[in-house]
Amino acid sequence: MHNFMDAGNSERWSSIVRELGERIDELVERFLARVSSVPSYSTEMVDMADVRKTAMESLRLLAQSLAEGTAGGELLRYAASLGEKRARQGIPPESLITAIRLDFSVVWTDLLEHCSTDDAVLLAGQVEHVWRVVDEYATQTHMSYLAERVRMAQEESNYRQEFIAKLFGPAGQTIEVIGRAASALEVDPDGDFDIAAASGAAARALQKEVSAFRVKGPFMYQSGNVTFMFWQPVRRTHSRGRQPDAALTVPTTACGLVQGVPGLRSLVAAAATAAALAQLSTDNDAGPLTIESGWRRLAREELRDAGLDLERELDLKLAQCREGERQRMEETVRVFMRSGSVTKTAAELFCHRNTILNRLARFKEVSGFDLVVPEDAARIAIAWPN
């Protein structure tokens, strides 16, 4: 209570608040009439019987707190339980706060209607007091609401992560696990997926970028020091029938990327490919390394693991080149491999066509590989993938 109130005013205020508590039924009806226009409360998201019960209890406790001079413990505990309940019911926070703040309007309107003109000065001095009690009630409800939403989000995240872990685990290929994972993640188990892999700073950048995609997901899985992000593109069509820009769901972060993975069943194998691509990514790569752009690097590493190092084999053969000759020859071969055209190669390197032919002939002589023979060209493409 404000300390400027004398004993008479204090006694009169107690009487006013006591009478307010006796009109709870009227206050509830007034509240229900107003809350019906608040979004979410005007729909079937909240049962009106529940709203009535809540209004009855909250207004009773508010009147009790006004008499006590502060938001009492019982009111704040009720606010905490109300916030948790409305969070679980899915009420938007703005609708919840709007509904709670109606309590002030309802209480203050009632006080103005039932107090005489002689109480005008007393009421004016109590505006801040009444608002403060209602505001403490609203603040406690909101804080409890937000805390419950965080818990709910964490529970949902844990629930999804549990199935993601199973999906990438030993039993991830079973029909049961795939079906339950698809249900938990709310995705089509037979639809196409994209999956990206990265480590360290690139992983953090990838996670931040992909989180802004308008897709089903994205979902994260951590294996050792490799972070996997996967998602299911949402196929939308523009109003005029044009397909949306696919680039809006393709990361620009340097990572390993596999697109168009056919269903959850194929996701684990695609993850291994994405991780392998991520390991082969270099600082010279301006964006993600895909199967299309990195298949030669993958092939080179697989062959090395099998004991066939095509790059080393080629380097040994070219070791006999004269000083400066290897650099010019290698540059010519790399450019020629991109198009297979002598004319385009000559134009790009600013050389005469005959110069290009001579260098290619010299390469065949030294290495034993003829670039017009598909099998030989494939070996060079894998040996020099960049």
Side-chain angles (χ1 to χ4, degrees):
M1 301 287 286
H2 290 292
N3 57 17
F4 64 81
M5 294 176 62
D6 56 27
N9 283 337
S10 177
E11 183 178 343
R12 174 56 185 155
W13 175 246
S14 297
S15 176
I16 289 173
V17 173
R18 185 170 56 254
E19 293 171 2
L20 176 71
E22 295 171 354
R23 296 190 297 273
I24 295 298
D25 289 342
E26 297 176 26
L27 297 178
V28 169
E29 294 305 321
R30 177 171 287 175
F31 175 85
L32 293 176
R34 296 189 181 187
V35 81
S36 62
S37 63
V38 176
S40 300
Y41 286 83
S42 58
T43 64
E44 296 180 355
M45 288 190 69
V46 183
D47 180 66
M48 290 313 295
D50 177 42
V51 176
R52 177 183 291 276
K53 180 179 179 181
T54 300
M56 182 74 71
E57 185 64 10
S58 62
L59 288 167
R60 181 187 71 80
L61 292 173
L62 281 171
Q64 178 179 307
S65 292
L66 290 175
E68 295 172 352
T70 185
E74 190 177 358
L75 174 64
L76 296 180
R77 285 191 293 273
Y78 186 76
S81 64
L82 177 61
E84 292 177 1
K85 181 168 69 173
R86 292 293 185 252
R88 292 192 294 271
Q89 291 172 330
I91 300 298
E94 58 274 11
S95 296
L96 173 63
I97 296 303
T98 299
I100 292 176
R101 295 200 186 284
L102 284 177
D103 289 335
F104 174 81
S105 176
V106 167
V107 168
W108 194 251
T109 299
D110 180 89
L111 290 176
L112 292 177
E113 290 178 352
H114 288 84
C115 290
S116 65
T117 55
D118 294 338
D119 296 319
V121 175
L122 175 60
L123 286 180
Q126 291 301 302
V127 173
E128 181 181 349
H129 167 62
V130 175
W131 174 254
R132 186 171 61 251
V133 171
V134 174
D135 187 60
E136 288 181 26
Y137 170 62
T139 299
Q140 180 61 46
T141 305
H142 191 211
M143 290 175 60
S144 176
Y145 173 94
L146 294 177
E148 185 64 19
R149 287 289 292 269
V150 170
R151 283 194 293 269
M152 291 169 61
Q154 187 61 51
E155 288 174 2
E156 182 179 4
S157 176
N158 291 341
Y159 176 69
R160 289 184 169 184
Q161 287 302 131
E162 176 184 347
F163 282 101
I164 290 173
K166 289 182 178 179
L167 189 64
F168 282 84
Q173 303 302 301
T174 64
I175 295 177
E176 180 184 3
V177 170
I178 290 174
R180 295 181 67 186
S183 177
L185 303 180
E186 300 180 354
V187 297
D188 176 7
D190 299 317
D192 287 349
F193 291 83
D194 294 347
I195 184 166
S199 301
R204 293 188 290 273
L206 176 67
Q207 184 178 358
K208 181 178 180 180
E209 181 181 11
V210 174
S211 295
F213 286 176
R214 293 185 178 181
V215 296
K216 291 184 178 179
F219 310 103
M220 185 176 74
Y221 176 70
Q222 191 75 30
S223 178
N225 65 339
V226 180
T227 297
F228 295 94
M229 300 293 296
F230 66 96
W231 60 93
Q232 190 166 60
V234 178
R235 304 304 180 191
R236 295 189 180 95
T237 302
H238 291 292
S239 57
R240 295 184 179 180
R242 294 181 293 106
Q243 291 297 320
D245 187 358
L248 297 178
T249 59
V250 177
T252 59
T253 302
C255 63
L257 175 66
V258 179
Q259 296 173 282
V261 180
L264 286 176
R265 183 182 296 276
S266 305
L267 200 61
V268 175
T273 302
L277 287 167
Q279 287 185 327
L280 296 174
S281 179
T282 68
D283 294 337
N284 294 326
D285 294 314
L289 191 63
T290 65
I291 293 177
E292 290 74 15
S293 62
W295 70 268
R296 292 189 291 172
R297 299 187 206 178
L298 281 175
R300 182 181 62 181
E301 294 307 308
E302 289 293 329
L303 289 173
R304 279 178 175 172
D305 291 341
L308 179 58
D309 192 335
L310 294 180
E311 185 177 20
R312 182 174 181 277
E313 176 186 318
L314 185 57
D315 285 344
L316 290 174
K317 290 182 177 182
L318 297 181
Q320 59 183 294
C321 292
R322 297 184 299 273
E323 184 178 355
E325 181 184 25
R326 169 170 176 165
Q327 181 179 355
R328 292 190 298 271
M329 192 163 52
E330 180 175 340
E331 179 185 36
T332 301
V333 170
R334 288 180 181 276
V335 174
F336 177 78
M337 290 289 292
R338 290 202 292 266
S339 66
S341 169
V342 173
T343 301
K344 290 182 178 179
T345 303
E348 184 172 339
L349 296 180
F350 303 101
C351 293
H352 192 277
R353 189 172 188 277
N354 289 340
T355 301
I356 301 301
L357 289 172
N358 291 334
R359 289 178 183 174
L360 294 179
R362 174 60 176 163
F363 178 78
K364 177 182 176 182
E365 177 187 343
V366 175
S367 69
F369 296 123
D370 188 347
L371 297 182
V372 299
V373 176
E375 184 174 342
D376 287 356
R379 292 174 70 93
I380 302 305
I382 294 172
W384 290 342
N386 300 323

